[in-house]
Amino acid sequence: MQIEIWSDFVCPFCYIGKQRLEQALERFPEKINVSIQYKSFELDPNAPNYSGVSIHEALAKKYNMTIEQAKQANKQISEQAKSVGLNFVFDTMKPGNTFLAHRISKYAASINREADYIDTVLYHYFTLSKDLSDPDTLRSITKEMGLNQNEINKIIETETLYDEEVRNDESEAQQLGITGVPFFVINKKYAISGAQPIDTFMQAIEKVSEEEQNELKSLNIKQGSFCDGDNCK
């Protein structure tokens, strides 16, 4: 089973949705072979680097609400995060551009460290309040992970490295009509939009798993051996 996830590092529902999907897979009664691929999606490609503006101020400005309303909205999101074992510290979050973080994620994918990188970066942003638009912050995070710092420095210093891979993901999102994240595509056939409840993910996984089993049974019947005359095929 292949699951593709379009997401952004500063999207709280992306982190929550990822956690719910993982918990759904853990609760699934049968062991299933799942391959998860992360796709880049920038909520705001034109976002500046972190400027000192709080997440509450940024949210209030974006949605034309008061700071207090923004704080209340973020508090509600924090409660959702807690329900799946995550700790969001909105008061000290540092919103900024995520393009470099996405480019490094493509390098991490190339060395089979994508899942580790995604988890680590999300934790550093939402819980440790790290500035993901700061190259030094990303150097520190990837060094902590044991990633090759020469390669990381090349990505930071050469703006074109892994640029195309990120843009291809975003182009594919446009072709699929994806306008918000998280967005999950299962076996290039079924789509789930948003951080849906765990039960929703389980139902989708069960449906796809049953389809895969039925297809396998059908294939086995078609390719099974048969005997005719003096030989078996």
Side-chain angles (χ1 to χ4, degrees), residues 98-118:
T98 58
F99 186 53
L100 178 56
H102 280 293
R103 289 172 55 220
I104 294 176
S105 77
K106 295 307 175 187
Y107 163 67
S110 74
I111 58 171
N112 298 316
R113 294 292 305 277
E114 182 181 43
D116 291 341
Y117 176 81
I118 298 291

Side-chain angles (χ1 to χ4, degrees), residues 1 8 19 32 42 65 84 96 101 105 108 110 119 126-127 154 160 187 197 203 220 223:
M1 183 183 302
D8 197 3
Q19 194 80 345
I32 52 178
E42 296 171 274
M65 60 173 66
V84 290
S105 77
S110 74
D119 279 335
F126 285 100
T127 302
K154 285 180 185 178
T160 56
N187 282 1
Q203 289 168 12
N220 286 339
Q223 295 185 346

